Amino acid sequence: MSSVKRIAVFTSGGDAPGMNAAIRAVVRTAVHHDLHIYGIMRGYDGMVKGEIKRLEVGDVANIIQRGGTILKTARSEAFMTAEGRKQAYETLIANDIDGVVAIGGNGTYTGAMVFMQEYNIPFVGLPGTIDNDIYGTDYTIGFDTAINTAVEAVDKIRDTADSHSRLFFVEVMGRHSGYIALHTGIASGAGAIFLPETNTSLDDLSDILRKSAKRQKLFNLVIVAEGNQNGDATEIAAKIKEKNPEYDVRVSIIGHLQRGGSPTAMDRVLASRMGHSAVQTLMRGEGGVALGVINDKITFTPFEAAISKTKSLNKELVKMAEILAT
Ligand code: F6P
């Protein structure tokens, strides 16, 4: 017997490819188990404002391949206040919601944890962010698509960099985390990668450039994570040009291209597994946890740990990237 009868799902924070696949899995699993399922529009903001609607199987047809989120998303100021959360509670109670699936990143989990400290409605979190920076899962929904988009773009940049013998600095997303940069750099064979987590300096890069020039090695690609310690790609490129005027330097910022587009098969499967499991978790009467997949197994991490612990970069991969770049 399920302890929940009516559940709601929403997406929050930055969108990520695969969120729709997760919504679809939540809706279809819920309907399969004869639960009523509701969609909350625009994240916590919609919860505060009462923007909620019943979803049926047909509402999630033809969305597994679509980027973005059919439920829209937002960052909510109102939900950060006690008054806002009270209104959100009233929305859930007015619709007899007894369990919620929250798809988003750390901010989404924080909102869910605070809400659960005040009100007795269980939330289950799914990691939906391209950054892959959430503790308690090997991969987040959207990461695989984002790095594939970035690598495709970098491959194209490399063609023109190669033809003109130019040095390109390509900036990828990842405000606090170097996952996108590291994986994009490895997969595109970059000469160097600037990460928020490591302290590659501009002098280090100048050294690498000098050594490469001596060996007549073609060096044309540096990947820069937006959150790295030396500034953004434009600033780094300007400083490197100043130190090494012989280089013909260009900058390319991939930006929000990385957040859109059709999710990869990996992301669709990951999102489907997590969405399916989220409903089962609520049906078992559990809540207050973020779902993950570690070593191909579904895992559960209390919100508090998922928020407070940092998912570190794989140091071996960082070292390997340096070796392969030489
Ligand atoms: O959290 C995902 C992310 O894409 C970050 O990598 C990036 O810094 C940020 O969102 C940009 O967010 P927005 O465009 O919503 O301000």
Side-chain angles (χ1 to χ4, degrees):
M1 268 296 279
S2 166
S3 65
V4 292
K5 302 256 175 297
R6 292 157 78 99
I7 63 176
V9 57
F10 69 94
T11 48
S12 162
D15 64 343
M19 280 181 161
N20 281 328
I23 295 166
R24 172 181 178 272
V26 169
V27 171
R28 296 207 165 172
T29 305
V31 170
H32 172 80
H33 290 292
D34 291 329
L35 308 181
H36 288 189
I37 170 81
Y38 289 76
I40 297 169
M41 299 304 294
R42 297 185 311 99
Y44 287 116
D45 230 27
M47 201 185 293
V48 171
K49 293 182 182 143
E51 295 170 22
I52 181 168
K53 61 181 184 193
R54 178 89 185 261
L55 294 175
E56 303 288 354
V57 166
D59 293 318
V60 292
N62 204 19
I63 66 166
I64 195 167
Q65 78 284 14
R66 282 169 53 193
T69 159
I70 60 161
L71 296 177
K72 315 287 184 196
T73 184
R75 304 187 206 269
S76 175
E77 298 276 320
F79 194 80
M80 290 180 194
T81 67
E83 178 54 30
R85 289 192 293 279
K86 184 165 169 283
Q87 286 172 18
Y89 177 69
E90 281 159 11
T91 298
L92 298 182
I93 287 301
N95 290 279
D96 287 330
I97 302 298
D98 45 21
V100 181
V101 180
I103 308 170
N106 265 321
T108 309
Y109 290 178
T110 306
M113 186 182 73
V114 172
F115 187 86
M116 281 188 67
Q117 285 160 359
E118 296 170 342
Y119 300 104
N120 189 24
I121 296 179
F123 278 53
V124 168
L126 300 191
T129 165
I130 63 166
D131 288 346
N132 201 33
D133 59 347
I134 296 188
Y135 181 85
T137 188
D138 286 342
Y139 296 108
T140 55
I141 296 165
F143 173 67
D144 187 61
T145 308
I147 57 173
N148 276 287
T149 301
V151 167
E152 199 184 327
V154 172
D155 285 349
K156 289 177 177 158
I157 290 166
R158 194 194 256 280
D159 286 345
T160 175
D162 194 19
S163 304
H164 287 264
S165 304
R166 283 175 171 160
L167 172 61
F168 263 86
F169 289 81
V170 182
E171 185 177 302
V172 296
M173 278 187 164
R175 214 173 346 206
H176 308 295
S177 161
Y179 271 98
I180 295 177
L182 179 61
H183 285 243
T184 302
I186 291 171
S188 54
I193 310 171
F194 280 89
L195 302 166
E197 295 87 346
T198 58
N199 53 3
T200 307
S201 69
L202 298 181
D203 287 340
D204 292 339
L205 180 57
S206 289
D207 277 353
I208 298 173
L209 289 175
R210 262 190 299 278
K211 281 182 196 149
S212 301
K214 248 192 203 154
R215 291 166 39 216
Q216 293 187 322
K217 175 180 184 277
L218 182 69
F219 185 107
N220 52 14
L221 201 57
V222 179
I223 304 293
V224 177
E226 61 177 346
N228 92 92
Q229 302 161 20
N230 292 286
D232 61 24
T234 310
E235 288 162 347
I236 295 178
K239 287 179 199 156
I240 290 295
K241 175 75 183 167
E242 209 180 299
K243 282 173 189 266
N244 309 270
E246 68 280 17
Y247 278 92
D248 189 8
V249 169
R250 291 290 186 281
V251 175
S252 182
I253 299 166
I254 304 181
H256 287 79
L257 271 179
Q258 291 155 100
R259 285 243 295 258
S262 180
T264 59
M266 286 291 282
D267 270 330
R268 297 182 200 189
V269 173
L270 181 69
S272 299
R273 286 180 76 182
M274 288 184 173
H276 176 68
S277 179
V279 174
Q280 293 177 326
T281 306
L282 288 171
M283 289 176 68
R284 287 195 301 272
E286 293 165 21
V289 289
L291 259 72
V293 171
I294 297 179
N295 293 334
D296 209 30
K297 296 238 163 3
I298 296 276
T299 55
F300 305 89
T301 306
F303 280 136
E304 201 183 345
I307 296 157
S308 61
K309 294 192 180 175
T310 305
K311 179 166 152 196
S312 322
L313 273 189
N314 181 336
K315 291 203 180 69
E316 280 169 30
L317 273 192
V318 176
K319 186 75 209 148
M320 184 198 81
E322 282 167 18
I323 293 170
L324 299 189
T326 54

Coordinates of all heavy atoms in Angstrom, one line a residue, residues 230-313:
N230 N 41.7 32.5 -12.3 CA 42.5 33.6 -13.0 C 41.6 34.6 -13.8 O 42.1 35.4 -14.5 CB 43.4 32.9 -14.0 CG 44.5 32.1 -13.3 OD1 45.4 32.7 -12.7 ND2 44.4 30.8 -13.3
G231 N 40.3 34.5 -13.6 CA 39.4 35.4 -14.4 C 38.7 34.7 -15.5 O 38.9 33.5 -15.7
D232 N 37.9 35.4 -16.3 CA 37.2 34.7 -17.4 C 38.1 34.5 -18.6 O 39.3 35.0 -18.6 CB 35.9 35.4 -17.7 CG 36.1 36.9 -18.2 OD1 37.2 37.1 -18.7 OD2 35.2 37.7 -18.1
A233 N 37.6 33.9 -19.6 CA 38.5 33.5 -20.8 C 39.0 34.8 -21.4 O 40.2 34.8 -21.9 CB 37.7 32.7 -21.8
T234 N 38.2 35.9 -21.5 CA 38.7 37.1 -22.1 C 39.8 37.7 -21.3 O 40.9 38.1 -21.9 CB 37.5 38.1 -22.2 OG1 36.4 37.4 -22.7 CG2 37.8 39.3 -23.0
E235 N 39.7 37.7 -20.0 CA 40.8 38.3 -19.2 C 42.1 37.4 -19.3 O 43.2 37.9 -19.5 CB 40.4 38.3 -17.7 CG 39.4 39.4 -17.4 CD 38.6 39.2 -16.1 OE1 38.7 38.1 -15.5 OE2 38.0 40.1 -15.7
I236 N 41.9 36.1 -19.2 CA 43.1 35.2 -19.3 C 43.8 35.4 -20.7 O 45.0 35.5 -20.8 CB 42.7 33.7 -19.1 CG1 42.2 33.6 -17.7 CG2 43.9 32.8 -19.4 CD1 41.7 32.1 -17.4
A237 N 43.0 35.4 -21.8 CA 43.5 35.5 -23.1 C 44.3 36.8 -23.2 O 45.4 36.9 -23.8 CB 42.4 35.5 -24.1
A238 N 43.8 37.9 -22.7 CA 44.5 39.2 -22.8 C 45.8 39.2 -22.1 O 46.8 39.7 -22.6 CB 43.6 40.3 -22.2
K239 N 45.8 38.6 -20.9 CA 47.1 38.5 -20.1 C 48.1 37.6 -20.9 O 49.3 37.9 -20.9 CB 46.8 38.0 -18.7 CG 46.1 39.0 -17.8 CD 45.8 38.4 -16.5 CE 44.7 39.2 -15.8 NZ 44.0 38.4 -14.7
I240 N 47.6 36.5 -21.4 CA 48.6 35.6 -22.1 C 49.1 36.3 -23.4 O 50.3 36.2 -23.7 CB 47.9 34.3 -22.5 CG1 47.6 33.5 -21.2 CG2 48.6 33.5 -23.5 CD1 48.9 33.0 -20.5
K241 N 48.3 37.1 -24.0 CA 48.7 37.8 -25.2 C 49.8 38.8 -24.9 O 50.8 39.0 -25.6 CB 47.5 38.5 -25.9 CG 47.8 39.4 -27.0 CD 48.1 38.6 -28.3 CE 48.5 39.5 -29.5 NZ 49.0 38.7 -30.6
E242 N 49.6 39.4 -23.7 CA 50.6 40.4 -23.2 C 51.9 39.8 -23.0 O 53.0 40.3 -23.4 CB 50.0 41.0 -21.9 CG 50.5 42.4 -21.7 CD 49.9 42.9 -20.4 OE1 48.6 43.0 -20.3 OE2 50.7 43.2 -19.4
K243 N 51.9 38.6 -22.3 CA 53.1 37.9 -22.0 C 53.7 37.2 -23.3 O 54.9 37.0 -23.3 CB 52.9 36.8 -21.0 CG 52.7 37.3 -19.6 CD 52.3 36.1 -18.7 CE 51.9 36.5 -17.3 NZ 53.0 36.3 -16.4
N244 N 52.9 36.8 -24.2 CA 53.3 36.1 -25.4 C 52.8 36.7 -26.6 O 51.9 36.1 -27.3 CB 52.9 34.6 -25.3 CG 53.2 33.9 -23.9 OD1 54.2 33.4 -23.8 ND2 52.3 34.1 -23.0
P245 N 53.3 37.9 -27.0 CA 52.7 38.6 -28.1 C 52.7 37.9 -29.5 O 52.0 38.2 -30.4 CB 53.5 39.9 -28.2 CG 54.6 39.8 -27.2 CD 54.4 38.6 -26.4
E246 N 53.6 36.9 -29.6 CA 53.7 36.2 -30.9 C 52.5 35.3 -31.2 O 52.2 34.9 -32.3 CB 55.0 35.3 -30.9 CG 55.0 34.1 -29.9 CD 55.4 34.4 -28.5 OE1 55.3 35.6 -28.1 OE2 55.7 33.5 -27.7
Y247 N 51.6 35.1 -30.1 CA 50.4 34.3 -30.4 C 49.3 35.1 -30.9 O 49.0 36.2 -30.5 CB 50.0 33.6 -29.1 CG 50.8 32.3 -28.8 CD1 51.9 32.4 -28.0 CD2 50.4 31.1 -29.4 CE1 52.7 31.2 -27.8 CE2 51.1 30.0 -29.1 CZ 52.3 30.0 -28.4 OH 53.0 28.9 -28.2
D248 N 48.6 34.5 -31.9 CA 47.4 35.1 -32.4 C 46.2 34.5 -31.6 O 45.8 33.4 -31.8 CB 47.3 34.8 -33.9 CG 46.2 35.5 -34.6 OD1 45.6 36.4 -34.0 OD2 45.9 35.2 -35.8
V249 N 45.7 35.3 -30.7 CA 44.8 34.8 -29.7 C 43.4 35.1 -30.0 O 43.1 36.3 -30.4 CB 45.2 35.4 -28.3 CG1 44.2 35.1 -27.3 CG2 46.5 34.8 -27.9
R250 N 42.5 34.2 -29.8 CA 41.0 34.5 -29.9 C 40.3 33.8 -28.7 O 40.8 32.9 -28.1 CB 40.5 33.8 -31.2 CG 40.9 34.5 -32.5 CD 40.3 35.8 -32.7 NE 40.7 36.4 -34.0 CZ 41.8 37.0 -34.3 NH1 42.8 37.0 -33.4 NH2 42.0 37.5 -35.5
V251 N 39.1 34.3 -28.5 CA 38.3 33.8 -27.4 C 36.9 33.4 -27.9 O 36.3 34.1 -28.7 CB 38.0 35.0 -26.3 CG1 37.1 34.5 -25.2 CG2 39.4 35.4 -25.7
S252 N 36.4 32.3 -27.3 CA 35.0 31.9 -27.7 C 34.3 31.5 -26.4 O 34.8 30.6 -25.6 CB 35.1 30.7 -28.7 OG 33.8 30.4 -29.0
I253 N 33.1 32.0 -26.1 CA 32.4 31.7 -24.9 C 31.2 30.9 -25.3 O 30.3 31.4 -26.0 CB 32.0 33.0 -24.2 CG1 33.3 33.7 -23.8 CG2 31.1 32.7 -23.0 CD1 33.1 35.2 -23.3
I254 N 31.1 29.7 -24.9 CA 30.0 28.8 -25.4 C 28.7 29.2 -24.7 O 27.6 29.1 -25.3 CB 30.4 27.3 -25.3 CG1 31.7 27.0 -25.9 CG2 29.3 26.4 -25.9 CD1 32.1 25.5 -25.9
G255 N 28.7 29.5 -23.5 CA 27.6 30.0 -22.8 C 26.4 29.1 -22.7 O 26.5 27.9 -22.6
H256 N 25.2 29.7 -22.9 CA 23.9 29.0 -22.6 C 23.6 28.0 -23.7 O 22.6 27.2 -23.5 CB 22.8 30.0 -22.5 CG 22.9 30.7 -21.1 ND1 23.7 31.8 -20.9 CD2 22.2 30.5 -20.0 CE1 23.6 32.2 -19.7 NE2 22.7 31.4 -19.1
L257 N 24.4 27.9 -24.8 CA 24.2 26.8 -25.7 C 24.3 25.5 -25.0 O 23.6 24.5 -25.3 CB 25.3 26.8 -26.7 CG 25.2 27.6 -28.0 CD1 26.5 27.4 -28.8 CD2 24.0 27.1 -28.8
Q258 N 25.1 25.5 -23.9 CA 25.3 24.2 -23.1 C 24.1 23.8 -22.3 O 24.0 22.7 -21.9 CB 26.5 24.4 -22.1 CG 27.8 24.5 -22.8 CD 28.8 25.3 -21.9 OE1 29.6 24.7 -21.2 NE2 28.7 26.6 -21.9
R259 N 23.2 24.7 -22.1 CA 22.0 24.4 -21.3 C 20.8 23.8 -22.1 O 19.9 23.3 -21.5 CB 21.6 25.6 -20.5 CG 22.5 26.0 -19.3 CD 21.7 25.9 -18.0 NE 20.7 26.8 -17.9 CZ 20.8 28.0 -17.2 NH1 21.9 28.2 -16.5 NH2 19.8 28.8 -17.1
G260 N 20.9 24.1 -23.4 CA 19.7 23.7 -24.2 C 20.0 22.4 -25.1 O 21.0 21.8 -24.9
G261 N 19.0 22.1 -25.9 CA 19.2 21.0 -26.9 C 18.6 19.7 -26.4 O 18.3 19.5 -25.2
S262 N 18.5 18.8 -27.3 CA 17.9 17.5 -27.1 C 18.9 16.7 -26.2 O 20.1 16.6 -26.4 CB 17.7 16.8 -28.4 OG 17.2 15.5 -28.2
P263 N 18.3 16.1 -25.1 CA 19.2 15.3 -24.2 C 19.8 14.1 -24.9 O 19.2 13.5 -25.7 CB 18.3 14.9 -23.0 CG 16.9 15.1 -23.5 CD 17.0 16.1 -24.6
T264 N 21.0 13.7 -24.5 CA 21.7 12.5 -25.0 C 20.9 11.3 -24.4 O 20.2 11.4 -23.4 CB 23.1 12.4 -24.5 OG1 23.1 12.4 -23.1 CG2 24.0 13.6 -25.0
A265 N 21.1 10.2 -25.0 CA 20.5 8.9 -24.5 C 20.9 8.7 -23.1 O 20.1 8.2 -22.3 CB 20.9 7.7 -25.4
M266 N 22.2 9.0 -22.7 CA 22.6 8.8 -21.4 C 21.8 9.6 -20.4 O 21.3 9.1 -19.3 CB 24.1 9.2 -21.2 CG 25.1 8.3 -21.8 SD 25.2 6.8 -20.9 CE 26.2 7.3 -19.5
D267 N 21.5 10.9 -20.7 CA 20.7 11.7 -19.9 C 19.3 11.3 -19.8 O 18.6 11.3 -18.7 CB 20.8 13.2 -20.3 CG 22.0 13.9 -19.6 OD1 22.3 13.5 -18.5 OD2 22.6 14.8 -20.2
R268 N 18.7 10.8 -20.9 CA 17.3 10.4 -20.9 C 17.2 9.1 -20.0 O 16.2 9.0 -19.3 CB 16.9 10.0 -22.3 CG 16.9 11.2 -23.3 CD 16.4 10.8 -24.6 NE 16.9 11.7 -25.7 CZ 16.5 11.7 -26.9 NH1 15.6 10.8 -27.3 NH2 16.9 12.6 -27.8
V269 N 18.1 8.2 -20.1 CA 18.0 7.0 -19.3 C 18.2 7.3 -17.8 O 17.5 6.9 -16.9 CB 19.1 5.9 -19.7 CG1 19.1 4.8 -18.8 CG2 18.8 5.5 -21.2
L270 N 19.2 8.2 -17.5 CA 19.5 8.6 -16.1 C 18.2 9.3 -15.5 O 17.8 8.9 -14.4 CB 20.7 9.6 -16.1 CG 21.1 10.1 -14.7 CD1 21.7 9.0 -13.9 CD2 22.1 11.2 -14.9
A271 N 17.7 10.2 -16.3 CA 16.5 10.9 -15.8 C 15.3 10.0 -15.6 O 14.5 10.1 -14.7 CB 16.1 12.0 -16.8
S272 N 15.1 9.0 -16.5 CA 14.0 8.1 -16.4 C 14.2 7.2 -15.2 O 13.2 7.0 -14.5 CB 14.0 7.2 -17.7 OG 13.8 8.0 -18.8
R273 N 15.4 6.8 -15.0 CA 15.6 5.9 -13.8 C 15.3 6.7 -12.5 O 14.7 6.2 -11.6 CB 17.1 5.5 -13.7 CG 17.4 4.4 -14.7 CD 18.9 4.0 -14.6 NE 19.2 3.2 -13.4 CZ 20.4 2.8 -13.0 NH1 21.4 3.1 -13.8 NH2 20.5 2.0 -12.0
M274 N 15.8 7.9 -12.5 CA 15.6 8.7 -11.2 C 14.2 9.1 -11.0 O 13.7 9.1 -9.9 CB 16.5 10.0 -11.3 CG 18.0 9.6 -11.1 SD 19.0 11.1 -11.1 CE 20.6 10.5 -10.7
G275 N 13.5 9.5 -12.1 CA 12.1 9.9 -12.0 C 11.2 8.8 -11.5 O 10.4 8.9 -10.6
H276 N 11.5 7.6 -12.1 CA 10.8 6.4 -11.7 C 11.0 6.1 -10.2 O 10.0 5.8 -9.4 CB 11.3 5.2 -12.6 CG 10.7 3.9 -12.3 ND1 9.4 3.6 -12.5 CD2 11.3 2.8 -11.8 CE1 9.2 2.3 -12.1 NE2 10.3 1.8 -11.7
S277 N 12.2 6.1 -9.8 CA 12.6 5.8 -8.5 C 12.1 6.8 -7.4 O 11.8 6.4 -6.3 CB 14.1 5.6 -8.4 OG 14.5 5.3 -7.1
A278 N 12.0 8.1 -7.9 CA 11.5 9.1 -6.9 C 10.1 8.8 -6.5 O 9.7 8.9 -5.3 CB 11.6 10.5 -7.6
V279 N 9.3 8.3 -7.4 CA 7.9 8.0 -7.1 C 7.8 6.8 -6.1 O 7.1 6.8 -5.1 CB 7.0 7.8 -8.4 CG1 5.6 7.3 -8.0 CG2 7.0 9.0 -9.2
Q280 N 8.6 5.8 -6.4 CA 8.7 4.6 -5.6 C 9.1 5.0 -4.2 O 8.6 4.4 -3.2 CB 9.6 3.6 -6.2 CG 9.1 3.0 -7.5 CD 10.1 2.0 -8.1 OE1 11.3 2.2 -8.0 NE2 9.5 1.0 -8.7
T281 N 10.0 5.9 -4.1 CA 10.6 6.4 -2.8 C 9.4 7.0 -2.0 O 9.2 6.7 -0.8 CB 11.7 7.4 -3.0 OG1 12.7 6.8 -3.8 CG2 12.3 7.8 -1.7
L282 N 8.7 7.9 -2.6 CA 7.6 8.5 -1.9 C 6.5 7.5 -1.5 O 5.9 7.5 -0.4 CB 6.9 9.6 -2.8 CG 7.7 10.9 -3.0 CD1 7.1 11.8 -4.0 CD2 7.9 11.7 -1.6
M283 N 6.3 6.5 -2.4 CA 5.3 5.5 -2.1 C 5.7 4.6 -0.9 O 4.9 4.1 -0.2 CB 5.1 4.6 -3.3 CG 4.3 5.3 -4.4 SD 4.2 4.2 -5.9 CE 3.1 3.0 -5.3
R284 N 7.0 4.5 -0.7 CA 7.5 3.8 0.5 C 7.4 4.6 1.8 O 7.8 4.2 2.9 CB 8.9 3.3 0.3 CG 9.2 2.2 -0.6 CD 10.6 1.6 -0.5 NE 11.6 2.6 -0.7 CZ 12.2 2.9 -1.9 NH1 11.8 2.3 -3.0 NH2 13.1 3.9 -2.0
G285 N 6.9 5.8 1.7 CA 6.8 6.7 2.8 C 8.0 7.4 3.2 O 8.2 7.9 4.3
E286 N 9.0 7.4 2.2 CA 10.3 8.1 2.5 C 10.3 9.5 1.9 O 9.7 9.8 0.9 CB 11.4 7.3 2.0 CG 11.6 5.9 2.7 CD 12.5 4.9 2.0 OE1 13.3 5.4 1.2 OE2 12.3 3.7 2.2
G287 N 11.1 10.4 2.5 CA 11.3 11.7 2.0 C 12.5 12.3 2.6 O 13.3 11.7 3.4
G288 N 12.8 13.6 2.2 CA 14.0 14.3 2.8 C 15.3 13.8 2.2 O 16.4 14.0 2.7
V289 N 15.2 13.1 1.0 CA 16.5 12.6 0.4 C 16.6 13.1 -1.1 O 15.6 13.3 -1.8 CB 16.5 11.1 0.4 CG1 16.7 10.5 1.8 CG2 15.2 10.5 -0.2
A290 N 17.9 13.1 -1.5 CA 18.2 13.4 -2.9 C 18.6 12.1 -3.5 O 19.4 11.3 -2.9 CB 19.3 14.4 -3.0
L291 N 18.0 11.8 -4.7 CA 18.4 10.5 -5.4 C 19.7 10.7 -6.1 O 20.0 11.8 -6.6 CB 17.3 10.2 -6.3 CG 16.4 9.1 -5.9 CD1 15.5 9.6 -4.8 CD2 15.6 8.5 -7.0
G292 N 20.4 9.7 -6.3 CA 21.6 9.7 -7.1 C 21.8 8.3 -7.8 O 21.0 7.4 -7.5
V293 N 22.8 8.3 -8.7 CA 23.2 6.9 -9.2 C 24.7 6.9 -9.0 O 25.4 7.7 -9.5 CB 22.8 6.8 -10.7 CG1 23.5 5.5 -11.3 CG2 21.3 6.7 -10.9
I294 N 25.1 5.9 -8.2 CA 26.5 5.7 -7.9 C 26.9 4.3 -8.3 O 26.2 3.3 -7.8 CB 26.9 6.0 -6.4 CG1 26.6 7.5 -6.1 CG2 28.4 5.7 -6.2 CD1 26.9 7.9 -4.7
N295 N 27.9 4.1 -9.1 CA 28.3 2.8 -9.6 C 27.0 2.0 -10.2 O 26.8 0.9 -9.9 CB 28.9 1.9 -8.5 CG 30.3 2.5 -8.1 OD1 30.9 3.2 -8.9 ND2 30.7 2.3 -6.9
D296 N 26.2 2.7 -10.9 CA 25.1 2.2 -11.6 C 23.9 1.8 -10.6 O 23.0 1.1 -11.0 CB 25.5 1.0 -12.5 CG 24.5 0.9 -13.7 OD1 24.0 2.0 -14.1 OD2 24.3 -0.2 -14.1
K297 N 24.0 2.1 -9.4 CA 22.9 1.8 -8.4 C 22.3 3.1 -7.9 O 23.0 4.1 -7.6 CB 23.5 1.1 -7.2 CG 24.1 -0.2 -7.5 CD 23.4 -1.3 -6.7 CE 23.7 -2.7 -7.1 NZ 24.6 -3.0 -8.2
I298 N 20.9 3.1 -7.8 CA 20.2 4.2 -7.2 C 20.6 4.4 -5.7 O 20.7 3.4 -5.0 CB 18.7 4.0 -7.3 CG1 18.2 3.9 -8.8 CG2 17.9 5.1 -6.5 CD1 18.0 5.2 -9.5
T299 N 20.9 5.6 -5.4 CA 21.3 5.9 -4.0 C 20.5 7.0 -3.4 O 19.8 7.8 -4.1 CB 22.8 6.4 -3.9 OG1 23.0 7.5 -4.8 CG2 23.8 5.2 -4.3
F300 N 20.5 7.1 -2.1 CA 19.7 8.2 -1.4 C 20.6 8.9 -0.4 O 21.3 8.3 0.4 CB 18.6 7.5 -0.6 CG 17.7 6.6 -1.5 CD1 18.1 5.2 -1.7 CD2 16.6 7.1 -2.2 CE1 17.3 4.4 -2.5 CE2 15.9 6.3 -3.0 CZ 16.2 5.0 -3.2
T301 N 20.6 10.2 -0.5 CA 21.4 11.0 0.3 C 20.5 12.1 1.0 O 19.8 12.8 0.3 CB 22.5 11.8 -0.5 OG1 23.2 10.8 -1.3 CG2 23.5 12.6 0.4
P302 N 20.6 12.1 2.4 CA 19.8 13.1 3.0 C 20.1 14.5 2.5 O 21.2 14.8 2.2 CB 20.2 13.0 4.5 CG 20.8 11.7 4.6 CD 21.4 11.3 3.3
F303 N 19.0 15.4 2.3 CA 19.3 16.7 1.8 C 20.4 17.4 2.4 O 21.2 18.0 1.7 CB 18.0 17.6 1.9 CG 16.9 17.3 0.9 CD1 15.6 17.2 1.3 CD2 17.3 17.1 -0.5 CE1 14.6 16.9 0.3 CE2 16.3 16.8 -1.4 CZ 15.0 16.7 -1.0
E304 N 20.5 17.3 3.7 CA 21.5 18.1 4.4 C 22.9 17.7 4.0 O 23.8 18.6 3.7 CB 21.4 17.8 5.9 CG 22.1 18.9 6.7 CD 22.0 18.7 8.2 OE1 21.2 17.8 8.6 OE2 22.8 19.3 8.9
A305 N 23.2 16.4 3.8 CA 24.5 15.9 3.3 C 24.7 16.3 1.9 O 25.8 16.8 1.5 CB 24.6 14.4 3.5
A306 N 23.6 16.2 1.0 CA 23.8 16.5 -0.4 C 24.1 18.0 -0.6 O 24.9 18.4 -1.4 CB 22.5 16.2 -1.1
I307 N 23.6 18.9 0.3 CA 23.9 20.3 0.2 C 25.2 20.7 0.8 O 26.0 21.4 0.2 CB 22.8 21.1 1.0 CG1 21.4 20.9 0.3 CG2 23.1 22.6 1.1 CD1 20.3 21.1 1.3
S308 N 25.5 20.1 2.0 CA 26.7 20.6 2.7 C 28.0 19.9 2.2 O 29.1 20.5 2.3 CB 26.6 20.3 4.2 OG 26.4 19.0 4.4
K309 N 27.9 18.7 1.6 CA 29.2 18.1 1.2 C 29.5 18.4 -0.3 O 28.6 18.6 -1.1 CB 29.1 16.6 1.3 CG 28.9 16.1 2.7 CD 29.1 14.6 2.8 CE 28.9 14.2 4.3 NZ 29.0 12.7 4.5
T310 N 30.8 18.5 -0.5 CA 31.3 18.9 -1.8 C 31.6 17.7 -2.6 O 32.3 16.8 -2.1 CB 32.5 19.9 -1.7 OG1 32.1 20.9 -0.9 CG2 32.9 20.4 -3.1
K311 N 31.2 17.7 -3.9 CA 31.6 16.6 -4.7 C 32.9 17.0 -5.4 O 32.9 18.0 -6.2 CB 30.5 16.4 -5.8 CG 30.9 15.3 -6.8 CD 29.6 14.9 -7.5 CE 29.9 14.4 -8.8 NZ 28.7 14.4 -9.7
S312 N 34.0 16.4 -5.0 CA 35.3 16.8 -5.5 C 35.5 16.2 -6.9 O 35.0 15.2 -7.3 CB 36.4 16.2 -4.7 OG 36.1 16.3 -3.3
L313 N 36.4 17.0 -7.7 CA 36.8 16.5 -9.0 C 37.6 15.2 -8.8 O 38.3 15.1 -7.8 CB 37.7 17.5 -9.7 CG 37.0 18.6 -10.5 CD1 38.1 19.3 -11.2 CD2 36.0 18.1 -11.5

